[in-house]
Amino acid sequence: GYLGGAGAILFHGPFESAACKLLYHHDAAVICPSLDTDEMIAAIHAAGKYGMEKSINAKKLASDRFLLENFREQFWNGVTTLPE
């Protein structure tokens, strides 16, 4: 999977997509919405330059948002804080 790899995620797709917005908001990927060759090459270079930072942010995003234990904790915190 992406998050098991050592490098950054390079997202190549529409900027308006939900995946792109999520990754952009959390600075978890290098984003390249363009079909222009020069911009794609620049994005690949950026992935090499900022790969470690983006990778750390992506792993934090995955941990915070998508791990089962976090879902359980959020669910049970919501249940215990319901009004009587």
Side-chain angles (χ1 to χ4, degrees):
Y2 287 113
L3 297 177
I9 296 172
L10 172 58
F11 181 86
H12 184 243
F15 191 75
E16 299 80 22
S17 69
C20 184
K21 289 180 181 180
L22 178 68
L23 293 168
Y24 177 81
H25 178 72
H26 292 277
D27 196 28
V30 173
I31 309 295
C32 182
S34 175
L35 295 175
D36 179 76
T37 305
D38 291 334
E39 291 184 34
M40 292 168 59
I41 291 169
I44 292 168
H45 286 290
K49 184 174 182 180
Y50 303 108
M52 183 63 72
E53 175 187 338
K54 304 289 184 179
S55 181
I56 290 168
N57 293 343
K59 289 174 183 176
K60 182 174 180 348
L61 170 63
S63 173
D64 291 349
R65 299 283 297 270
F66 301 109
L67 290 181
L68 180 59
E69 188 58 38
N70 291 346
F71 282 132
R72 284 188 186 125
E73 184 178 326
Q74 290 171 3
F75 173 80
W76 287 113
N77 284 343
V79 169
T80 59
T81 59
L82 290 175
E84 294 183 25

